[in-house]
Amino acid sequence: MSHLTAGTTFPKQDVSKLGGGTLTLGVPQGGHDWQLVVVYRGLHCPICKTYLSTLQDLRDDFHAIGVDVVAVSGDPEAKAQSMADEKELSLPIGYDLSLEQMAALGLYISDPRSAQETDRPFAEPGVFVINAEGNIQIVDISNAPFARPDLNGLLKGITFVRDKDYPVRGTHKAA
């Protein structure tokens, strides 16, 4: 497995979108020039439910600084719709992220612990901030549900980056 590198081009991914149509990860919508892509584990994850609720609450704040906000998982449509309904989410949600797409994004993939958890392998959390050039400005990939960036802190950080034209960090190549 290889992870995506900060400062490189984000590999655009097309997924089905709740409500119909296609959601292209890495292509901002709604007149925004940046995009925040949040990969969540799925309906089975209580931490994801809280995280997506917070994301929904902050969506307008991200939009105010020019950042489109989307969420995606490997869940099938019915489970993604259940998540949206349960948490009253109106942000764009993609579903059926394939194992190949998860791997292309450098995500950790877990097998279910039991049939009660879920019925298929799923992506562990990932957060990608794609800038106006289509490059990865910020990347956070976790192998566990407990480690993911605080969304309020991320909002403040992106605001700082955009206001100060702060460069992409973490690009030094060790010899």
Side-chain angles (χ1 to χ4, degrees), residues 51-87:
Y51 202 74
L52 292 181
S53 289
T54 301
L55 184 63
Q56 177 71 45
D57 291 344
L58 293 174
R59 181 180 64 168
D60 290 345
D61 296 319
F62 281 105
H63 285 177
I65 61 167
V67 180
D68 180 31
V69 176
V70 300
V72 64
S73 77
D75 273 353
E77 183 179 14
K79 287 186 176 184
Q81 189 63 60
S82 291
M83 175 71 89
D85 293 344
E86 179 180 334
K87 302 315 291 181

Side-chain angles (χ1 to χ4, degrees), residues 108-148:
Y108 289 98
I109 302 169
S110 291
D111 292 315
R113 296 180 306 139
S114 69
Q116 290 73 35
E117 182 177 48
T118 190
D119 61 351
R120 62 180 67 190
F122 56 90
E124 292 295 343
V127 172
F128 303 92
V129 178
I130 300 103
N131 63 29
E133 290 75 41
N135 296 328
I136 301 168
Q137 183 78 33
I138 300 169
V139 57
D140 187 282
I141 296 173
S142 179
N143 72 317
F146 322 108
R148 50 182 103 194

Side-chain angles (χ1 to χ4, degrees), residues 6-174:
T8 62
T9 302
F10 182 81
K12 295 175 181 68
Q13 302 276 339
D14 288 332
V15 294
S16 297
K17 182 174 80 170
L18 282 184
T22 301
L23 180 64
T24 302
L25 308 179
V27 178
Q29 300 296 305
H32 307 293
D33 61 344
W34 284 38
Q35 188 179 58
L36 169 61
V37 175
V38 173
V39 179
Y40 69 98
R41 300 171 82 227
L43 179 64
H44 67 277
C45 176
I47 297 170
C48 295
K49 292 177 182 182
T50 301
Y51 202 74
L52 292 181
S53 289
T54 301
L55 184 63
Q56 177 71 45
D57 291 344
L58 293 174
R59 181 180 64 168
D60 290 345
D61 296 319
F62 281 105
H63 285 177
I65 61 167
V67 180
D68 180 31
V69 176
V70 300
V72 64
S73 77
D75 273 353
E77 183 179 14
K79 287 186 176 184
Q81 189 63 60
S82 291
M83 175 71 89
D85 293 344
E86 179 180 334
K87 302 315 291 181
E88 299 180 357
L89 303 174
S90 60
L91 54 94
I93 297 178
Y95 61 90
D96 277 338
L97 189 67
S98 72
L99 293 174
E100 293 79 17
Q101 288 173 310
M102 293 174 196
L105 293 174
L107 298 165
Y108 289 98
I109 302 169
S110 291
D111 292 315
R113 296 180 306 139
S114 69
Q116 290 73 35
E117 182 177 48
T118 190
D119 61 351
R120 62 180 67 190
F122 56 90
E124 292 295 343
V127 172
F128 303 92
V129 178
I130 300 103
N131 63 29
E133 290 75 41
N135 296 328
I136 301 168
Q137 183 78 33
I138 300 169
V139 57
D140 187 282
I141 296 173
S142 179
N143 72 317
F146 322 108
R148 50 182 103 194
D150 173 75
L151 290 168
N152 283 295
L154 188 59
L155 175 64
K156 289 176 187 170
I158 295 170
T159 301
F160 178 85
V161 165
R162 291 185 60 112
D163 287 349
K164 305 294 186 191
D165 196 26
Y166 195 74
V168 175
R169 306 305 300 155
T171 58
H172 180 82
K173 306 283 189 249

